[in-house]
Amino acid sequence: MKKTAQFMMLAGALLFTSVILAQSTIKGVVVEAGINMPLPGANVIEKGTTNGVVTDFDGNFTLETESDSGEILITYVGYTTKTVAFTKDADLGTISMESSQVGLQEIQIIASVAVDRKTPVAVSTIKSEEISLKLSTQEFPEILKATPGVYATRAGGGYGDGRINLRGFDSENVAVMINGVPVNDMENGAVYWSNWAGLGDVTSSMQVQRGLGASKVAVPSVGGTINIITKSTDAEQGGNVYSSIGNNGYLKYGMTYSTGLTEKGFAATVSASKISGDGYVDGTEFSGYNYFLSLAQQLNEQHRLTFTAFGAQQTHGQRYNRSTIAELLDTDSGPQKANKDWGYKNGEVYHQSFNFYHKPQISLNHLWEINDNSALSTALYASFGSGGGRRDEGSKIGSSEYRIGGSGLQPIDFDRIIEENKANGALGSTDIISSSRNSHEWYGLLSTYKNRINDQLTISGGLDGRYYVGSHWYEVDDLLGGQFFLDNETDTFAYGKPLRVGDKYNKDYDGVVLRTGLFGQAEYQLTDALNFFIAADISNSSYKQKEYMNNEITGDRSSDYVDFLGFGVKGGGNYNLDMNNNVFINVGYFSKAPFLDNVFLDEDGIVPNADAVNEKVFSAELGYGYRSEKLSANVNIYYTNWLDKAYTGSLQGADNEIYFYNLLGIDALHQGIEVDLRYKLTDKLSFTGMASLGDWKWKSNSSAQVQDQGGTVIDEVVVIADGIKVGDAAQTTFALGAKYKLAPKSSIYADYNFAGDNYASYDVTNRSSADLPDVWKLPDFGLFDLGLTHAFDMVGFEAVLNGKINNVFNTEYVSDANDVDGTAATALVYYGAGRTYSVGLKLKF
């Protein structure tokens, strides 16, 4: 009996020893092929088992295998599965994952994607998984609200009406690019997110490059660059269908399908969705169609063509006019939902402010891989915008007397106005609904050549050419029961004529922009740890205006081209102190051409502003990064000096004519510190954090003479702005987030976002005295969001269920404000959205 027990103990020991001996420790780092960007969160599984880990923030992994030999499978959404063999303990080194999207390489060359621990810029990257997890019913820019330096809101709260500020700069001074193609309005630099409402469905990754950014094209941005990379054509066959519902009648459904890469080198991906809802804010009903198409053909080993088309046709009611806090609190709907810009007509909802637009964008990309070290990527692109925003003429629509109930922010009584217009008979309508129409044609060429000269030096350069024509006019949409409408502007061709539905009035002009630029960059890898770059660009912006409505213009109705030469130079370096620590620095200066709106101050005229000058920007930044298996952290200190900010305005002279002025020498200083981190406490629990402390102030006083066309001085404008805080964005923000993995395919997250030191927006040209009160400071606020995702098998398909709640505690807060006299009582505000939610299901096949 004793011998039997000893034998069993010996056998058990031998079995245990064999198991121990059979185990191996496998290490490696997973990166994206081509650019060597780490892929955090990639799944690494021992083939044939459930034994696995995920890569850390630097793409590193360590896996204790159950066998001493075999294979590991590495998977990551958007990349082709990688199988790697191992034998005993092994360090597999760098494992490159090929994108499963055909055509992504040429996009990345053009789009100037920043690489961690190499490109010396402050950068935050958000992958498609996080976008689909957290976007919910939020506006697309709001997905960036936990990014350092970002302040994003829904503005008026209408579908697609969101806005974003980066380091205190609005969209005019933040370059937004989709697949490397600039999308800022060519006339005024604005970004209208409703034009891209479907981006959340097709974005592969979104990179925010703060400050100078890594972009090589001639799009100098003051605050930074938002670089959106859409999906290209999937190399693997499959697709999905999905649907989601949410608060206030929110409904969205759609599908995506990819043919996969055929033996003949062809692949196609198509995506489409429908969205509709009542809107969180009263009178903001919306409806839209989003679509995406990508076709790729590998012509031979050196040449590939990719065709992409996407867009979003949408209509939505708006909350255009702001109100005081007292007015909003004194409503049945409450301050978060109240809206004065809608009413009822014939028993149905009718909008005073309403937006409708469709802006498809198409591009043809060609990649020529000349040899192993050089490539030429060229994109021909075009976009065609058409639509506008509803407006009103007359005094009744905005009057409290014509509200249902007769006061405040009650709905507009359009039926009463219709009856009075009918009674006017031959006198015509006193009030009408019209629309400010805007259409454009935009054509561009963007070509980038990249050549790896040797192991140390890589050069790149190319050209950026754009041609744009924007047409703008007012059009009568609804006479509200009347027979016609008489325009009271005596200097237009419409004056005195009975205007009917479809007629133009008020304004009718074209803005023409022709921009050509060259850019170049050199990257030098001095050692494995030390990398430098220098980049320069030069561009010429030519502006012309054509006028069709002003009856005071005789002869040629088109101006000559007005040219502005701009340039930029920037450089920097990154030094990896060791495997964990790195530091970087960048410095740059650029001279930025004014926008067309600053060159032609009068939309009814063709005389350019002779005093228009380039804006100048000097920027410097110092950064530090730390990477380890559990912790990833960044600290950035930035300094941006903005010189000769373009400011224009108008005054009415004694003869009732409108005269324009151009202020020079308005300067601002934006400086601050940013911190962001990710910490993986365990394989299941991880945390994120961010803090951004800004100090943004105007730094000069200025004055300008107001002259008539004959040169006679009729007035003077004085601005006393030195030391005043810049408004319209929170200067202090921080965020905390936690994510817990409930099961291998299930997780829950919680986020908290805080915004403080937020000063109301104001027109700095109105600061004419040092005795004026301080600009009103909005109350600080913090918001909680919760979300859950769960993947499971459903009738043979993989299903993913997502649920999200934003602003869990229904916090009331002012998100946007215009200052009037420095007090809360008179400030005109928008409240942010209260509690919202959505639930979505995606079925993959």
Side-chain angles (χ1 to χ4, degrees):
M1 189 74 178
K2 184 175 180 181
K3 290 182 177 180
T4 302
Q6 291 175 337
F7 175 78
M8 292 180 66
M9 291 177 63
L10 178 60
L14 289 173
L15 179 62
F16 179 76
T17 303
S18 67
V19 171
I20 294 297
L21 291 174
Q23 290 180 341
S24 298
T25 301
I26 308 300
K27 297 180 180 180
V29 56
V30 180
V31 301
E32 181 175 336
I35 61 174
N36 291 326
M37 178 183 289
L39 293 177
N43 293 302
V44 182
I45 300 175
E46 183 179 0
K47 189 174 181 179
T49 73
T50 59
N51 178 37
V53 295
V54 296
T55 56
D56 65 15
F57 307 113
D58 236 7
N60 298 303
F61 70 90
T62 300
L63 175 64
E64 299 291 340
T65 65
E66 297 177 358
S67 303
D68 64 351
S69 65
E71 293 178 329
I72 59 171
L73 299 177
I74 305 173
T75 61
Y76 195 81
V77 176
Y79 295 82
T80 303
T81 299
K82 189 90 169 185
T83 302
V84 182
F86 69 89
T87 301
K88 298 182 179 180
D89 293 345
D91 186 345
L92 302 178
T94 299
I95 303 171
S96 297
M97 298 285 284
E98 296 288 342
S99 172
S100 62
Q101 301 180 52
V102 179
L104 187 61
Q105 182 181 354
E106 52 264 45
I107 290 174
Q108 289 178 333
I109 292 174
I110 290 176
S112 307
V113 176
V115 180
D116 188 42
R117 290 171 57 86
K118 182 177 181 181
T119 310
V121 299
V123 63
S124 300
T125 302
I126 300 176
K127 292 289 188 177
S128 59
E129 298 85 1
E130 186 173 357
I131 294 173
S132 62
L133 177 64
K134 295 187 176 182
L135 184 58
S136 182
T137 58
Q138 298 182 100
E139 290 296 302
F140 191 71
E142 289 184 280
I143 197 68
L144 298 174
K145 63 186 179 183
T147 302
V150 167
Y151 184 65
T153 80
R154 299 189 181 194
Y159 173 70
D161 287 343
R163 71 178 185 93
I164 189 169
N165 284 59
L166 187 51
R167 289 184 173 175
F169 299 102
D170 59 19
S171 63
E172 294 181 6
N173 298 287
V174 175
V176 178
M177 299 190 295
I178 301 177
N179 295 335
V181 174
V183 299
N184 295 73
D185 190 281
M186 291 282 284
E187 295 180 70
N188 56 28
V191 176
Y192 305 102
W193 292 101
S194 58
N195 296 339
W196 315 107
L199 278 177
D201 298 335
V202 299
T203 295
S204 174
S205 66
M206 179 162 49
Q207 195 172 77
V208 180
Q209 301 170 1
R210 303 186 295 279
L212 294 175
S215 174
K216 296 183 282 287
V217 302
V219 286
S221 59
V222 186
T225 302
I226 299 175
N227 206 348
I228 300 167
I229 308 298
T230 68
K231 297 175 182 176
S232 54
T233 306
D234 290 332
E236 297 179 345
Q237 184 181 13
N240 60 71
V241 293
Y242 58 89
S243 180
S244 59
I245 59 174
N247 54 277
N248 300 95
Y250 177 92
L251 174 63
K252 183 176 182 179
Y253 53 89
M255 60 77 65
T256 298
Y257 177 72
S258 299
T259 64
L261 188 62
T262 69
E263 293 181 358
K264 294 184 178 181
F266 175 78
T269 295
V270 60
S271 177
S273 64
K274 170 73 169 65
I275 188 169
S276 61
D278 297 330
Y280 182 83
V281 175
D282 291 345
T284 56
E285 294 80 5
F286 62 92
S287 177
Y289 297 89
N290 310 320
Y291 56 89
F292 172 85
L293 172 68
S294 183
L295 307 173
Q297 178 65 57
Q298 188 76 40
L299 302 177
N300 52 44
E301 291 184 357
Q302 290 182 297
H303 297 274
R304 181 168 62 230
L305 286 176
T306 305
F307 173 82
T308 304
F310 59 93
Q313 181 276 329
Q314 59 79 32
T315 62
H316 69 276
Q318 294 182 295
R319 179 170 57 177
Y320 183 78
N321 291 292
R322 306 186 189 209
S323 304
T324 65
I325 295 174
E327 288 174 333
L328 291 168
L329 292 173
D330 187 26
T331 60
D332 296 334
S333 299
Q336 297 166 313
K337 292 177 174 287
N339 178 16
K340 65 174 65 174
D341 297 330
W342 70 285
Y344 289 100
K345 175 185 174 184
N346 297 326
E348 297 183 353
V349 171
Y350 192 72
H351 304 88
Q352 173 194 2
S353 294
F354 187 78
N355 182 269
F356 51 98
Y357 215 82
H358 185 204
K359 179 185 168 69
Q361 179 166 308
I362 59 175
S363 63
L364 181 64
N365 292 64
H366 172 246
L367 176 65
W368 179 17
E369 296 186 271
I370 302 170
N371 53 47
D372 291 340
N373 295 319
S374 62
L376 177 66
S377 182
T378 302
L380 283 169
Y381 64 91
S383 70
F384 310 93
S386 178
R390 187 174 292 174
R391 301 290 183 263
D392 65 279
E393 294 285 352
S395 59
K396 295 178 181 178
I397 292 177
S399 170
S400 297
E401 182 182 351
Y402 287 84
R403 301 275 168 176
I404 297 174
S407 64
L409 271 67
Q410 297 294 104
I412 301 166
D413 189 351
F414 285 102
D415 290 332
R416 179 180 171 186
I417 297 172
I418 289 171
E419 290 301 317
E420 293 183 3
N421 278 342
K422 287 180 179 179
N424 282 339
L427 296 178
S429 297
T430 60
D431 287 67
I432 65 168
I433 293 294
S434 61
S435 59
S436 177
R437 297 294 183 106
N438 303 281
S439 66
H440 73 255
E441 295 182 12
W442 183 348
Y443 306 94
L445 171 66
L446 186 58
S447 186
T448 302
Y449 171 75
K450 188 173 184 178
N451 188 5
R452 185 181 180 189
I453 303 296
N454 51 45
D455 290 342
Q456 292 180 303
L457 178 63
T458 300
I459 62 170
S460 57
L463 58 91
D464 173 18
R466 309 175 220 170
Y467 176 75
Y468 169 98
V469 178
S471 300
H472 314 276
W473 70 95
Y474 266 42
E475 183 174 306
V476 177
D477 284 351
D478 190 342
L479 292 169
L480 295 177
Q483 298 178 20
F484 59 87
F485 174 70
L486 293 176
D487 184 21
N488 61 3
E489 295 192 50
T490 59
D491 59 353
T492 72
F493 288 123
Y495 177 70
K497 297 179 181 179
L499 302 176
R500 294 178 171 81
V501 173
D503 289 343
K504 295 181 179 181
Y505 77 104
N506 184 273
K507 67 179 181 181
D508 186 8
Y509 72 95
D510 291 344
V512 182
V513 182
L514 176 62
R515 183 170 299 163
T516 54
L518 298 173
F519 55 89
Q521 178 171 296
E523 300 176 71
Y524 189 73
Q525 192 78 40
L526 183 62
T527 66
D528 289 341
L530 184 58
N531 179 75
F532 293 101
F533 91 98
I534 186 169
D537 66 78
I538 186 169
S539 62
N540 185 71
S541 298
S542 298
Y543 300 120
K544 176 191 286 191
Q545 189 153 294
K546 300 178 181 180
E547 218 297 318
Y548 308 110
M549 184 60 70
N550 191 339
N551 60 21
E552 296 181 352
I553 297 177
T554 59
D556 192 354
R557 306 194 65 83
S558 174
S559 73
D560 294 328
Y561 274 110
V562 183
D563 295 320
F564 293 87
L565 188 66
F567 66 90
V569 60
K570 56 187 176 183
N574 178 83
Y575 181 51
N576 295 327
L577 303 171
D578 52 35
M579 291 296 292
N580 302 109
N581 301 276
N582 74 289
V583 292
F584 74 81
I585 187 172
N586 64 55
V587 179
Y589 177 87
F590 58 81
S591 177
K592 174 187 173 189
F595 292 116
L596 183 140
D597 287 359
N598 300 118
V599 176
F600 292 94
L601 305 181
D602 185 359
E603 60 186 18
D604 296 330
I606 57 173
V607 178
N609 173 18
D611 295 326
V613 298
N614 284 16
E615 297 178 348
K616 294 90 176 174
V617 178
F618 171 79
S619 182
E621 183 161 6
L622 179 66
Y624 164 76
Y626 176 81
R627 303 290 184 273
S628 69
E629 183 178 354
K630 290 185 175 292
L631 177 64
S632 170
N634 301 286
V635 181
N636 307 295
I637 300 173
Y638 66 90
Y639 175 95
T640 303
N641 200 3
W642 190 11
L643 308 173
D644 284 335
K645 170 71 178 77
Y647 260 109
T648 58
S650 62
L651 290 175
Q652 186 173 16
D655 55 1
N656 292 324
E657 290 290 326
I658 301 298
Y659 298 97
F660 299 91
Y661 59 86
N662 188 78
L663 271 166
L664 303 178
I666 298 289
D667 304 337
L669 176 62
H670 292 232
Q671 56 188 348
I673 183 171
E674 300 163 343
V675 180
D676 65 275
L677 60 88
R678 293 175 179 266
Y679 181 69
K680 185 173 69 172
L681 182 63
T682 68
D683 287 341
K684 292 185 176 181
L685 181 60
S686 60
F687 297 93
T688 58
M690 176 276 291
S692 181
L693 306 176
D695 182 19
W696 313 327
K697 294 180 180 179
W698 295 103
K699 297 301 293 181
S700 65
N701 303 321
S702 185
S703 64
Q705 292 181 337
V706 183
Q707 302 176 346
D708 62 20
Q709 294 188 11
T712 302
V713 177
I714 64 170
D715 207 337
E716 183 181 31
V717 174
V718 177
V719 173
I720 309 296
D722 191 10
I724 300 174
K725 288 280 190 178
V726 172
D728 208 28
Q731 302 200 20
T732 298
T733 59
F734 68 78
L736 293 172
K739 184 178 180 180
Y740 183 74
K741 200 170 184 178
L742 300 169
K745 295 183 178 181
S746 301
S747 61
I748 187 171
Y749 75 85
D751 290 334
Y752 175 75
N753 286 273
F754 171 85
D757 292 327
N758 188 358
Y759 296 86
S761 65
Y762 58 94
D763 185 350
V764 71
T765 62
N766 292 332
R767 308 294 300 185
S768 57
S769 170
D771 298 329
L772 290 175
D774 291 336
V775 176
W776 181 56
K777 181 182 174 183
L778 283 65
D780 300 346
F781 66 87
L783 306 176
F784 282 92
D785 298 335
L786 289 175
L788 170 70
T789 184
H790 174 60
F792 58 97
D793 291 332
M794 181 176 178
V795 294
F797 299 98
E798 181 184 355
V800 181
L801 180 68
N802 285 324
K804 305 120 184 175
I805 304 175
N806 296 313
N807 192 1
V808 174
F809 299 110
N810 201 32
T811 301
E812 290 189 359
Y813 63 100
V814 176
S815 61
D816 304 78
N818 288 342
D819 183 71
V820 176
D821 62 7
T823 67
T826 58
L828 300 174
V829 307
Y830 291 141
Y831 271 72
R835 185 186 301 112
T836 61
Y837 67 88
S838 71
V839 178
L841 178 66
K842 178 180 288 186
L843 203 63
K844 300 180 180 180
F845 57 87

